Amino acid sequence: MPNSQDVPKLSSIPDEFANVHFDTMNSHPPQGISEYDPIRVKLVVNISSAPDVLQNGLDEIIANHPVPYFWKPDDPPDQAILWHVRFVHSEDMGSSLEVSQETDGSQVAGAHQAGDESNGTTYSGNPVQIIVHFNRPIEGLGHVLTTARTTEVNDPGSLVNLKIFVREQAKFETLGLMIDCSRNGVLTVSSIFEMLRYMALSGINMLQLYTEDTYKVPGELFFGYLRGGYTKEEIKQVDDYAFSLGIEVIPCIQTLGHLGQILQWPYYMSIRDTHEVVLCKSEETYQFLEKLITHISSCVRSKRIHIGMDESYGIGEGRFKQLFGNQDGAEIFVQHLQRLNQICQNLGLKPMIWSDMLFCLAAKNNALYAYYDQNNNPADLDKMRGMPSNVDLVFWNYYHTIPEIYELKLEQHRELGCDNPWMAGAAWTWSRMWCSLPFSFESNRASLIASKHPTKGVKNFMLTLWGDEGNECDFFSSLPVLLYVGHQGYTDATEIDINFMENSFAAICGGELEEWIKCSRLDEPPTANPMEVRPQIPSNMSKWLLWEDPMLAFMGPQYANYNLEPHFREIANQALYKAHTASASSQSRYPLNKLLRLPGLLARVLSFKCHLRDDLASAYRENNRKKLLDIARNRIQALLEAERELWLFHRTRWHRIYKPFGWEVLELRYGGLTARLQTLYDRVVSYALRANIKDLGYSRALGVTAGLAQLMDGTWTPDEFAMSGERSTKADLEAGHGKSDGDEALAPQLSKESYTMDVDSENNDEDPGMKIDTDLSAYDSMTITLGGKGVSKSISFENLSPSQLMPILANAQQTATPVKPFVVKKYTGQNHDHDVIIDSLPELEEDLHCVYPNAGMSLTIEYGRVTTPSRLG
């Protein structure tokens, strides 16, 4: 762990935590705790004696907490200090919280067993007594966990002699989280439960699941159709679970725009204005929307509801104009809101909406610039005078790092007649595979400072997680931002000390914050400091590098001045190592580090893919066929294997946290990339060998051991090739060791199979032979013997190849099938189908142009733009 002088601060210690007293708190710089260091504090919570309002929630958190901080009856005796935690519920506390030490430390001083003072791990005698006075449930337990970890790090000798007193005041009535469940990824109920537990320990007391059409509605067969929509029973389960943790669940739906998933069906043609926007003024539309609001509000306890209405571009410009004539978009919007507000009032609901369309319609500009333009104030327009005063406006802004920008816009919301606007920040999870943590900290810091302003602030703040562009990101990568917002919500301070955050993240979530932040470097240039924030909005470089067409690669000029290979290799090595160590033992202090495998595997793919087209084009223009063949063998093969490994792990992770619906969108992307890489490989190899493509049937790149060519040290194909080894009997998808054959372990009957292949080739400098391509990936270890032409060597290796495309055996009962020999014959111009002879590679002849001058890699680009660069127009 870096010390405070090496790492820029996210913030300084909050004022409340200045009251936390440790003996020697500042005498030693914080020291890191390794994965397998024993837990020195165990929390003892007597659930049966806790207030009724806490019992179910405490039981769930203690039973499912990822780090073993909670004492269990089967724990070894005298291996840790016991902190007994008692909860006292008092409505007089309001939104305050108090954590203190009930027993004077002097009563247990000297209770160390003889000779054990040096390491502070074994104690006997009276336990430490911690008391939590609360009104809002659960949140105090997160402070106790953070305090235990912080004490361990700063001075383990004070674990008994500490004095602790924390009193804090919540800065918001509602501090919430909104999760996008409408961009393919629909979280399973169990995943929502997991997120709710993290929320409770972070002091987050509200959840919204953003559902456009991903909830089932009686009588509406296309709602949730093939999209994994939540049933009423599932939503009720979420509401009950959240209630046990003191968290309110507020429905979050759409009632104007963003309804394209429903409006695409002919069944809803009668209520369609445009492909995304419903038909305002139509009574059929309002009957339909009332049905939605009535159903979704019946699933939860809350009497608040979010009815959306954001980004309703083209309102009144489709069938509306044909039926009702020209009408100002702002007027249509306000009238529509009035009708919806009446529906909500009739049901006893208090609605809220996203506020962007009020500003965009006033400016007659759909760009975000109109929303954030400080001079654009819709309150100046008479057409906005009919805004219902009881509707809360949610100001969403994820892009700025200056608090004053937020303050001014919040004031404009009040001028619109909304006395109680909400502020919505975001963790940057959209259009990427890993949350952009540094910028998320910085942008939320600015919006939180404005939101906590004593006169210009707000009462309600929520963090949003969006999944635009297919929801490729693992939403749990945003947990550091969730925790950061939680701490900011209970202090007047503007900063949170990064050492404090590291300890809190380790205790509450079970991850190493520094390692998670480092993975954000996937979208940063190699020269960037991952702990610092750049002024511009974060790029999604790793996404567009992953999906860009490998043969056309038109984004290459954007990063031509950087050497990205070592950059991505370093990220991959560190992340995969951390993922492996987190999965290797059930006693790891950082079990959540196993999620680092996704960014690690992505970085490994990018280390092979970046600059690939440039290297191929260079060799092609030099007419260096040997070099082209080397790139095909050593790089494209490795890339195909790495990409397959990423796909398999991403698939498993998706099905673990999301419903299966929606994965097909991402799988088509992986399939498209695989097909393009295969075509690239075949064309390059065929050109390099002057061979007919149809003669390369046994040289498929898929399933080839990526490291074999390197092990052979450039020796061309031998006359004999034999391999034997022990087949893997386990495919642990979370271990990070490089195999992903799916969820099922390989059958143990498939051990110690042997294969023999004969290869003939014409081996000369002008037309080198082709190395045998086969699959060794099903093996944990292998011995390879190469013989022929007087060459013989033995090589041992382990875990070189990530995975196989197809099993060598059809099933566990079959005998090994011999692999056909692959004979490469020198092209003589006879007896070949000339239509499939590759005598040129036009894709590598094109000069690439810089499409975004001066932008470098600071770009956020959509999937379609980089896969078909010459077809979008």
Side-chain angles (χ1 to χ4, degrees):
M1 177 188 297
N3 61 45
S4 57
Q5 295 178 346
D6 296 329
V7 181
K9 289 188 174 183
L10 295 173
S11 45
S12 57
I13 294 180
D15 295 341
E16 291 82 358
F17 294 99
N19 295 323
V20 182
H21 302 292
F22 304 102
D23 294 347
T24 68
M25 176 178 178
N26 296 315
S27 10
H28 304 289
Q31 299 295 319
I33 298 180
S34 70
E35 287 90 340
Y36 307 120
D37 284 346
I39 299 289
R40 298 178 176 182
V41 174
K42 291 284 187 176
L43 305 183
V44 182
V45 181
N46 189 332
I47 296 175
S48 61
S49 65
D52 292 343
V53 69
L54 287 186
Q55 288 186 8
N56 290 338
L58 286 174
D59 188 40
E60 284 296 316
I61 287 177
I62 293 171
N64 294 284
H65 196 64
V67 189
Y69 268 109
F70 293 99
W71 180 83
K72 296 180 180 179
D74 57 350
D75 282 351
D78 298 328
Q79 292 300 305
I81 302 169
L82 300 183
W83 286 11
H84 282 243
V85 184
R86 187 164 67 93
F87 294 87
V88 176
H89 182 210
S90 173
E91 294 184 358
D92 295 338
M93 294 295 294
S95 57
S96 297
L97 176 73
E98 184 176 291
V99 180
S100 59
Q101 186 176 350
E102 198 170 18
T103 302
D104 192 326
S106 62
Q107 296 183 28
V108 290
H112 310 317
Q113 291 184 351
D116 287 332
E117 291 86 353
S118 59
N119 59 28
T121 57
T122 304
Y123 297 90
S124 61
N126 296 325
V128 175
Q129 305 289 335
I130 304 293
I131 185 169
V132 179
H133 291 275
F134 73 97
N135 182 34
R136 307 203 305 193
I138 302 299
E139 56 199 32
L141 190 57
H143 285 302
V144 178
L145 284 166
T146 300
T147 300
R149 162 75 185 204
T150 305
T151 311
E152 282 187 290
V153 170
N154 282 281
D155 186 6
S158 69
L159 290 171
V160 170
N161 297 321
L162 84 164
K163 295 180 180 179
I164 176 173
F165 178 80
V166 178
R167 184 173 180 103
E168 63 181 21
Q169 175 74 39
K171 303 306 171 186
F172 301 102
E173 292 179 2
T174 303
L175 188 59
L177 175 69
M178 187 229 76
I179 304 176
D180 184 355
C181 296
S182 296
R183 304 293 188 281
N184 295 338
V186 179
L187 285 174
T188 63
V189 170
S190 61
S191 293
I192 298 172
F193 288 175
E194 181 180 357
M195 189 68 79
L196 284 166
R197 293 192 294 269
Y198 290 126
M199 290 169 60
L201 292 173
S202 302
I204 309 295
N205 65 356
M206 184 275 291
L207 172 67
Q208 294 185 15
L209 299 177
Y210 175 76
T211 48
E212 294 171 357
D213 69 311
T214 47
Y215 58 102
K216 300 284 189 178
V217 180
E220 302 294 337
L221 299 182
F222 287 98
F223 254 76
Y225 177 59
L226 301 178
R227 295 262 289 156
Y230 293 115
T231 65
K232 184 172 185 175
E233 291 72 25
E234 287 176 320
I235 299 174
K236 280 184 169 293
Q237 289 175 23
V238 170
D239 188 58
D240 290 342
Y241 197 89
F243 181 76
S244 73
L245 297 168
I247 296 173
E248 177 186 11
V249 177
I250 299 177
C252 185
I253 64 174
Q254 285 291 358
T255 56
L256 182 55
H258 280 302
L259 286 172
Q261 291 290 340
I262 282 298
L263 297 178
Q264 69 176 311
W265 303 110
Y267 182 81
Y268 292 103
M269 185 177 296
S270 60
I271 63 169
R272 180 193 303 164
D273 181 4
T274 70
H275 69 287
E276 284 282 338
V277 180
V278 296
L279 181 63
C280 298
K281 273 197 171 183
S282 165
E283 288 304 315
E284 185 178 353
T285 297
Y286 294 109
Q287 292 172 10
F288 167 71
L289 295 177
E290 182 174 5
K291 187 176 187 179
L292 302 186
I293 294 171
T294 301
H295 169 73
I296 197 67
S297 62
S298 71
C299 300
V300 299
R301 295 171 172 81
S302 178
K303 290 302 178 181
R304 297 194 282 187
I305 185 171
H306 197 318
I307 58 175
M309 297 182 62
D310 62 306
E311 297 180 329
S312 305
Y313 306 137
I315 180 175
E317 296 296 324
R319 291 183 62 243
F320 182 96
K321 183 181 291 187
Q322 296 174 331
L323 295 172
F324 304 110
N326 286 323
Q327 187 173 338
D328 185 85
E331 293 179 356
I332 301 173
F333 185 91
V334 172
Q335 291 169 8
H336 184 70
L337 179 57
Q338 290 171 344
R339 289 293 302 269
L340 292 173
N341 182 48
Q342 188 59 56
I343 291 172
C344 290
Q345 287 186 319
N346 294 343
L347 294 171
L349 303 174
K350 181 174 177 55
M352 66 184 76
I353 66 169
W354 306 108
S355 65
D356 56 296
M357 286 306 295
L358 295 170
F359 291 82
C360 293
L361 289 168
K364 299 186 183 299
N365 186 341
N366 290 333
L368 279 180
Y369 172 79
Y371 191 21
Y372 302 132
D373 181 4
Q374 299 183 29
N375 297 318
N376 177 24
N377 188 353
D380 298 335
L381 302 179
D382 290 338
K383 65 188 72 172
M384 298 296 182
R385 302 301 182 193
M387 280 287 299
S389 59
N390 66 303
V391 176
D392 288 344
L393 301 179
V394 183
F395 173 48
W396 56 274
N397 187 341
Y398 323 137
Y399 303 94
H400 295 95
T401 58
I402 301 174
E404 289 73 20
I405 293 176
Y406 297 90
E407 292 174 3
L408 177 61
K409 277 296 170 182
L410 287 171
E411 184 59 31
Q412 290 178 355
H413 282 66
R414 293 188 177 91
E415 292 173 4
L416 272 169
C418 178
D419 295 331
N420 188 29
W422 288 52
M423 183 70 237
W428 277 68
T429 51
W430 62 95
S431 298
R432 63 195 66 243
M433 283 194 179
W434 189 255
C435 181
S436 178
L437 295 175
F439 190 85
S440 297
F441 292 137
E442 191 71 5
S443 60
N444 281 287
R445 174 184 176 274
S447 62
L448 283 159
I449 289 174
S451 298
K452 292 189 294 185
H453 193 283
T455 59
K456 301 178 181 179
V458 298
K459 297 178 181 179
N460 305 293
F461 183 97
M462 67 174 167
L463 180 73
T464 60
L465 307 181
W466 294 104
D468 300 42
E469 274 280 288
N471 199 26
E472 294 146 318
C473 188
D474 186 336
F475 276 158
F476 286 87
S477 66
S478 67
L479 283 176
V481 189
L482 178 75
L483 189 61
Y484 176 80
V485 169
H487 285 311
Q488 280 276 13
Y490 291 83
T491 177
D492 289 322
T494 61
E495 307 281 348
I496 306 295
D497 181 73
I498 193 169
N499 291 320
F500 174 82
M501 271 289 297
E502 285 180 327
N503 289 324
S504 188
F505 184 61
I508 290 177
C509 300
E512 287 180 278
L513 180 62
E514 183 180 3
E515 301 302 328
W516 284 52
I517 292 176
K518 283 180 179 178
C519 287
S520 295
R521 295 171 60 207
L522 281 164
D523 294 310
E524 298 284 350
T527 55
N529 183 340
M531 309 299 284
E532 292 178 345
V533 178
R534 295 193 300 163
Q536 62 267 35
I537 64 175
S539 161
N540 65 346
M541 176 181 71
S542 62
K543 176 187 171 106
W544 52 255
L545 272 174
L546 172 65
W547 298 130
E548 76 166 338
D549 187 280
M551 299 179 78
L552 306 181
F554 85 112
M555 294 299 294
Q558 300 299 141
Y559 56 91
N561 295 327
Y562 293 93
N563 183 6
L564 296 183
E565 291 182 41
H567 172 67
F568 287 124
R569 196 175 329 116
E570 178 188 354
I571 296 173
N573 290 342
Q574 182 69 7
L576 291 175
Y577 169 76
K578 288 295 182 179
H580 174 71
T581 55
S583 301
S585 171
S586 60
Q587 298 302 312
S588 172
R589 279 180 172 264
Y590 308 112
L592 210 67
N593 277 359
K594 65 187 178 183
L595 302 191
L596 298 179
R597 190 168 183 213
L598 182 65
L601 292 174
L602 174 58
R604 188 171 70 180
V605 169
L606 299 182
S607 71
F608 292 123
K609 193 166 187 280
C610 65
H611 309 296
L612 173 60
R613 199 268 187 186
D614 289 342
D615 292 346
L616 287 168
S618 176
Y620 176 74
R621 293 172 184 181
E622 295 170 1
N623 196 28
N624 189 336
R625 295 174 187 257
K626 183 178 183 299
K627 185 175 181 181
L628 284 171
L629 199 58
D630 285 340
I631 295 173
R633 292 167 172 163
N634 300 330
R635 186 135 172 213
I636 301 179
Q637 288 181 1
L639 172 55
L640 273 157
E641 291 287 355
E643 186 252 347
R644 174 175 166 75
E645 178 80 350
L646 173 63
W647 159 56
L648 287 170
F649 179 76
H650 197 177
R651 182 182 70 182
T652 300
R653 179 62 183 162
W654 177 285
H655 287 85
R656 187 161 293 161
I657 62 176
Y658 301 116
K659 296 187 178 185
F661 304 95
W663 173 248
E664 73 279 0
V665 174
L666 302 192
E667 194 141 69
L668 287 170
R669 295 179 184 179
Y670 279 112
L673 178 58
T674 298
R676 291 296 288 162
L677 288 171
Q678 182 69 64
T679 295
L680 175 63
Y681 176 87
D682 288 345
R683 287 175 60 78
V684 169
V685 170
S686 178
Y687 174 81
L689 294 175
R690 301 183 179 93
N692 190 312
I693 278 186
K694 70 179 182 181
D695 291 334
L696 303 180
Y698 297 102
S699 67
R700 314 313 295 171
L702 291 173
V704 174
T705 298
L708 181 57
Q710 296 174 352
L711 287 174
M712 295 174 75
D713 297 327
T715 304
W716 297 117
T717 309
D719 293 326
E720 294 179 352
F721 178 103
M723 65 180 183
S724 63
E726 186 167 335
R727 195 173 175 92
S728 171
T729 59
K730 183 180 180 182
D732 182 358
L733 293 177
E734 293 182 349
H737 57 39
K739 289 194 196 57
S740 290
D741 291 291
D743 283 321
E744 299 297 327
L746 294 176
Q749 299 97 315
L750 298 182
S751 60
K752 297 184 179 178
E753 301 289 353
S754 297
Y755 304 87
T756 301
M757 288 161 269
D758 295 321
V759 179
D760 295 326
S761 66
E762 297 187 19
N763 187 8
N764 55 58
D765 293 338
E766 180 183 359
D767 188 15
M770 181 72 179
K771 288 176 191 161
I772 188 68
D773 293 340
T774 188
D775 184 340
L776 309 182
S777 60
Y779 293 80
D780 282 331
S781 61
M782 193 72 58
T783 300
I784 303 173
T785 302
L786 303 174
K789 300 187 184 302
V791 178
S792 178
K793 64 172 74 173
S794 295
I795 305 169
S796 297
F797 69 99
E798 187 173 338
N799 293 334
L800 272 177
S801 176
S803 61
Q804 58 184 24
L805 178 68
M806 297 292 290
I808 295 177
L809 304 182
N811 57 60
Q813 307 304 321
Q814 291 183 349
T815 307
T817 303
V819 180
K820 293 183 180 181
F822 165 47
V823 179
V824 178
K825 295 186 180 299
K826 186 173 181 179
Y827 172 50
T828 63
Q830 299 176 354
N831 302 321
H832 285 281
D833 182 350
H834 290 276
D835 290 339
V836 292
I837 295 296
I838 306 299
D839 56 8
S840 67
L841 297 171
E843 303 96 324
L844 302 182
E845 295 172 3
E846 289 270 357
D847 290 327
L848 301 181
H849 310 305
C850 187
V851 182
Y852 304 96
N854 303 318
M857 294 181 291
S858 302
L859 297 167
T860 300
I861 306 177
E862 295 180 352
Y863 164 79
R865 183 60 200 161
V866 296
T867 53
T868 54
S870 61
R871 297 292 179 267
L872 294 186

